[in-house]
Amino acid sequence: MNIILLGPPGCGKGTQGALLAKELGAPRVSTGDLLRAAVKDGTPLGKKAKEYMDKGLLVPDEVVLGLIEEVLARPEARKGVLMDGFPRTTKQAEAVGELLAKRGTQVDAALSLEVDDGELVRRMEGRAAEQGRADDTPDAFKLRLKVYREQTAPLIAYYRERGKLKEVAGTGTVEEIARAVRKALGI
Ligand code: AMP
């Protein structure tokens, strides 16, 4: 199964993605993790990405598309992949659809985890204290939320129109949400 995890920053995509990956035996791939690794290694891609990431802006599609192509071409992605943090724009969604179609597969489900903004900010404050991410400062986080609403949230309608959208409330305990996720996916 190829599953897209959609939802605002702090909605629990990472946590639920890791659980779901274990359950399905499919790799979870996060473009955010890959980009952070590229920044840490100081690669040309990382250098380009850093200025956007630190501000809370999306890295431009032309920088990210090559990364997505590489991820979907990996042998371990052949049986299905959990996409955490991509696609993030309509252009990326179209690219993912085309790359999967070339391999004779498709997006099976887009899982949207719904959490309201007040709760997201509270969670971000907890995560900032734990992980010290540069983009978890209050201002950067607010911008990331705005960017999500403007550039990524339209994917909810995109996948709904294609009959792929599964909406799950992202509040409750981790186990409660995981149960709701499995139910929505029918697994
Ligand atoms: P994340 O860990 O998924 O929240 O991503 C952290 C940051 O990495 C985002 O705020 C963006 O700057 C960048 N990023 C991650 N994935 C993408 C993507 N698919 N397209 C553009 N930027 C991305």
Side-chain angles (χ1 to χ4, degrees):
M1 263 183 129
N2 292 301
I3 299 172
I4 291 168
L5 299 169
L6 269 177
C11 73
K13 288 192 302 287
T15 306
Q16 292 301 325
L19 290 174
L20 199 52
K22 219 191 253 173
E23 177 92 23
L24 293 170
R28 163 187 163 257
V29 188
S30 149
T31 42
D33 287 350
L34 292 171
L35 288 167
R36 276 185 289 278
V39 170
K40 199 162 154 240
D41 293 345
T43 66
L45 180 112
K47 281 186 187 141
K48 238 184 260 170
K50 187 179 183 334
E51 48 184 302
Y52 297 94
M53 293 173 76
D54 283 353
K55 288 189 195 130
L57 296 171
L58 288 189
V59 175
D61 284 332
E62 43 303 355
V63 178
V64 161
L65 285 175
L67 194 65
I68 292 176
E69 185 165 5
E70 189 202 300
V71 164
L72 295 179
R74 290 179 186 175
E76 67 267 27
R78 212 170 295 148
K79 281 197 226 133
V81 64
L82 268 172
M83 293 172 246
D84 176 353
F86 76 99
R88 276 261 230 298
T89 61
T90 306
K91 188 157 179 203
Q92 291 182 22
E94 284 165 356
V96 165
E98 283 164 23
L99 288 164
L100 291 175
K102 263 194 225 160
R103 290 174 179 78
T105 59
Q106 55 169 354
V107 169
D108 296 296
L111 190 79
S112 170
L113 283 176
E114 317 281 338
V115 178
D116 70 55
D117 283 8
E119 172 69 15
L120 292 173
V121 171
R122 275 192 294 280
R123 289 185 189 180
M124 179 277 298
E125 287 164 354
R127 182 166 75 177
E130 257 170 45
Q131 300 179 2
R133 271 174 54 166
D135 58 355
D136 272 345
T137 63
D139 282 348
F141 190 79
K142 241 180 254 162
L143 183 59
R144 282 162 68 207
L145 266 182
K146 183 171 178 276
V147 165
Y148 171 78
R149 301 277 175 232
E150 289 175 3
Q151 299 190 56
T152 307
L155 295 186
I156 292 176
Y158 180 94
Y159 287 111
R160 185 184 289 124
E161 280 161 21
R162 286 157 180 79
K164 307 289 187 192
L165 187 70
K166 313 279 177 200
E167 287 170 292
V168 172
T171 41
T173 65
V174 169
E175 182 42 45
E176 280 164 356
I177 303 166
R179 218 175 301 135
V181 164
R182 289 195 296 269
K183 193 170 164 216
L185 294 173
I187 56 172

